[in-house]
Amino acid sequence: MIRLAATDVIELSATDLVVATTLVLFAGLASIALRLGLERRLAIGAVRSVVQLLAVGYVLRWVFGLDRGAVVLALCIVMAVVAGHAAVRRPSKTFRGATWRACITLILTGLLTVFVVTCLVISAEPWWRPQYLIPLLGMILGNSLTGISLCLDHLLETLSERRPEIEMELALGATRWEAARDPLAAAVRRGMIPTINSMMVVGIVALPGMMTGQILAGADPLMAVKYQIVVMFMIAAATSLGSIGIALLTYRRLFSHHHQLRSDLILKR
Amino acid sequence: MRGAMRRPRDRTWGFGVDSRSTQPDADTLLSLRGLTVARNGRVLMQPVDLDVQRGEMIAVTGPSGCGKSTLLLTIAGLIDRVDGLVSLDGEDPSDSELDWPTFRRRVVLVQQTPALLDATVRANLERAFAYRTANGSTYSHDDAQRLFDRMRLASAYFSENARTLSVGEQQRLCLIRALLVGPAVLLLDEPTSALDAESADAVEAVLKEEAGWRGLSAIVATHDRAQADRLCDRVIELEASSAGNASGGPGA
């Protein structure tokens, strides 16, 4: 059981934030001087990040204050649905019903993983305590949606490109599972690769944002590392479960019970 | 195994819609009843009624685009039929008794464009025995060797990547793979389209021998009337789809 000890946090005032704004101004000046034409986008981006983050801050403060499980759960589902929509927007191909399948996958695998962490690893009381649940779920969904996206992209691409081979296998008496197994495995592998790669280099090439944040917030580095290990494993589990989930749900949709490949259902966007 | 029944040559022009109620007789292996074929929601031809006897070769001819390939895909169940029945020895694969993979193992479709895995020729042939429906049957290298000789393919190819072969060689390789599975009926889509005359003759000879020796049946889609006459006992002429629609087919 690990507990976060937050001491020595330097409070940031509104003035501090205004000073930080000068940092963005430097980027803007560089854009003007070098005629990069990015000033407008930079300004919009800066304003958006301030507005969005403040909004999230107030929502989180409100939810933390309410301390009601149902509200926390509702917020979780909203987060998963938003992530589900983002996940199916990236692949170059799609099919009808891809969005709700991605959402269901993220809701189930995200909640399962976060439950294991808050309830069994961190032992938060109650398990849905929003201070733990929501940031953890956010990290899970952010990574899992990338995995789902890559997995779906790879799977739909393979099923379109390699349709002749797959239909050949079906024509020789393969069941839909036998014909789909290799493309499914390749797609799940594709979805998991970024997570595995980041586990390889974590701490050497990049200091994870969460760990950095905890250290900035005054936590003992070793404590932050322990949290980070939990988070890495949690993300690995969620990404693999998410990739497997979306691959299986896509398989159920695109391979009919007559053991056909329904490539006519795959749409270009 | 003996005595492939050879029916007298007869020509069916179009399809006998009136034979729809006819029950298949006892010698019938594969039976199509009122099979309605569509691609992308458009019905391509009149409902098809056809009985394929053991050892019988039936040619399906017609202009390109009339739906020959789609008809074969529909018989194999890789495309859903709109209506009608397909039965093998009286069993319909849409019933639970005979599932589609088991049906396809006995009624093997060979598509016109060769589809081979990115692996050696031998691995491609062995792959066909990795499925549940192989039901214990295993790859026989001797059988493959014999078919290679009969179809004028060099056996040096066995260890080469199948995709490095010429299209004509790939086409014969796909046919060999289908024959090794030991089907009752072959559905062949333009089986000699990529072959020179000599190789085409060899393929036709093998098919005729298989029909005679072990009663292999086939439905052969071909645009080549001469081949249809040489190879097949019966020729079925499909009309162009516009003509089919004019005579009352749905679709625009």
Side-chain angles (χ1 to χ4, degrees):
Chain A
M1 202 162 92
I2 42 188
R3 289 250 175 259
L4 182 65
T7 50
D8 304 332
V9 185
I10 303 164
E11 287 276 341
L12 285 185
S13 64
T15 343
D16 297 329
L17 288 180
V18 173
V19 175
T21 311
T22 55
L23 296 170
V24 184
L25 287 181
F26 277 122
L29 287 175
S31 168
I32 291 166
L34 298 171
R35 304 213 175 111
L36 302 177
L38 291 172
E39 313 83 77
R40 226 179 91 82
R41 288 167 62 91
L42 193 65
I44 294 173
V47 171
R48 274 191 67 155
S49 53
V50 169
V51 173
Q52 289 169 3
L53 287 174
L54 280 179
V56 167
Y58 281 111
V59 169
L60 287 183
R61 178 180 273 179
W62 175 69
V63 172
F64 288 8
L66 270 182
D67 207 32
R68 298 247 320 257
V71 176
V72 175
L73 204 65
L75 186 63
C76 289
I77 288 172
V78 169
M79 287 164 70
V81 167
V82 172
H85 277 84
V88 295
R89 231 185 353 252
R90 283 192 228 168
S92 57
K93 294 192 169 65
T94 186
F95 60 96
R96 275 184 60 191
T99 308
W100 73 255
R101 283 176 172 83
C103 291
I104 289 288
T105 306
L106 283 169
I107 290 172
L108 292 180
T109 61
L111 283 181
L112 175 72
T113 330
V114 85
F115 173 79
V116 168
V117 172
T118 59
C119 186
L120 304 177
V121 181
I122 300 178
S123 306
E125 282 289 339
W127 71 270
W128 48 264
R129 201 169 148 199
Q131 284 88 331
Y132 292 94
L133 189 72
I134 288 171
L136 290 174
L137 185 67
M139 279 186 285
I140 287 175
L141 292 176
N143 287 278
S144 196
L145 92 83
T146 309
I148 284 183
S149 230
L150 291 169
C151 175
L152 196 59
D153 185 53
H154 193 275
L155 184 57
L156 296 178
E157 204 59 55
T158 311
L159 294 184
S160 317
E161 248 174 43
R162 291 177 47 196
R163 176 182 161 199
E165 293 160 61
I166 294 167
E167 291 205 320
M168 170 273 284
E169 299 217 56
L170 292 169
L172 286 167
T175 60
R176 56 179 173 164
W177 179 250
E178 287 167 333
R181 203 169 37 196
D182 287 352
L184 288 174
V188 170
R189 202 177 300 129
R190 182 76 193 84
M192 290 176 63
I193 279 174
T195 306
I196 292 171
N197 282 349
S198 67
M199 285 172 80
M200 295 293 180
V201 299
V202 67
I204 302 170
V205 176
L207 282 184
M210 190 212 69
M211 198 174 108
T212 323
Q214 280 193 329
I215 294 172
L216 281 176
D220 169 33
L222 266 182
M223 183 62 72
V225 163
K226 284 185 200 161
Y227 263 91
Q228 190 58 47
I229 291 170
V230 171
V231 165
M232 291 300 297
F233 290 174
M234 170 186 88
I235 287 172
T239 312
S240 45
L241 287 178
S243 299
I244 292 168
I246 195 69
L248 288 179
L249 287 177
T250 306
Y251 160 75
R252 297 284 298 181
R253 179 75 188 109
L254 296 180
F255 285 83
S256 74
H257 66 281
H258 284 167
H259 301 267
Q260 303 159 325
L261 169 58
R262 296 290 310 274
S263 53
D264 54 314
L265 297 177
I266 301 176
L267 311 167
K268 273 195 171 159
R269 39 169 83 257
Chain B
M1 296 291 280
R2 279 315 72 149
M5 282 155 293
R6 289 279 165 158
R7 285 170 38 137
R9 233 180 167 68
D10 68 289
R11 294 248 163 92
T12 315
W13 300 89
F15 292 109
V17 188
D18 50 347
S19 66
R20 216 183 147 145
S21 56
T22 315
Q23 287 299 309
D25 56 76
D27 295 332
T28 299
L29 193 59
L30 180 71
S31 171
L32 315 179
R33 283 283 170 277
L35 185 68
T36 307
V37 173
R39 182 114 231 190
N40 301 326
R42 196 171 70 92
V43 173
L44 294 179
M45 61 191 75
Q46 297 288 313
V48 177
D49 289 289
L50 182 65
D51 286 329
V52 182
Q53 314 293 323
R54 208 173 154 72
E56 190 179 31
M57 299 263 164
I58 295 173
V60 177
T61 65
S64 56
C66 69
K68 300 190 290 286
S69 304
T70 313
L71 173 63
L72 296 188
L73 282 164
T74 308
I75 296 171
L78 288 167
I79 297 178
D80 274 330
R81 56 199 186 225
V82 177
D83 194 16
L85 296 170
V86 173
S87 61
L88 181 68
D89 285 332
E91 285 186 284
D92 190 310
S94 285
D95 301 340
S96 51
E97 293 295 309
L98 177 67
D99 64 350
W100 277 106
T102 309
F103 173 83
R104 290 185 194 130
R105 193 73 184 176
R106 299 195 58 209
V107 181
V108 172
L109 167 71
V110 183
Q111 299 216 50
Q112 180 179 4
T113 312
L116 292 157
L117 304 173
D118 189 8
T120 63
V121 166
R122 182 163 177 159
N124 266 280
L125 296 174
E126 284 172 342
R127 174 77 180 177
F129 296 88
Y131 312 130
R132 172 179 63 75
T133 51
N135 206 12
S137 68
T138 50
Y139 167 72
S140 156
H141 195 63
D142 290 342
D143 290 351
Q145 187 79 57
R146 269 194 291 277
L147 282 166
F148 265 55
D149 293 342
R150 284 160 73 195
M151 293 210 198
R152 309 160 56 87
L153 273 181
S155 41
Y157 286 149
F158 273 110
S159 53
E160 282 181 30
N161 186 305
R163 295 204 177 154
T164 61
L165 271 53
S166 77
V167 183
E169 289 162 341
Q170 291 188 14
Q171 199 166 32
R172 278 173 283 168
L173 181 58
C174 289
L175 184 57
I176 289 170
R177 181 174 55 192
L179 284 167
L180 286 174
V181 161
V185 182
L186 277 180
L187 306 173
L188 302 176
D189 194 355
E190 302 282 0
T192 59
S193 60
L195 303 185
D196 56 59
E198 256 178 293
S199 307
D201 286 346
V203 165
E204 286 177 19
V206 169
L207 289 173
K208 283 191 158 175
E209 286 160 15
E210 292 290 319
W213 291 350
R214 65 178 192 87
L216 175 75
S217 309
I219 301 179
V220 186
T222 177
H223 65 277
D224 180 355
R225 272 315 293 255
Q227 178 177 57
D229 288 335
R230 273 196 313 274
L231 184 62
C232 298
D233 310 294
R234 273 198 285 164
V235 178
I236 282 166
E237 185 98 359
L238 289 185
E239 298 161 352
S241 54
S242 56
N245 289 335
S247 60

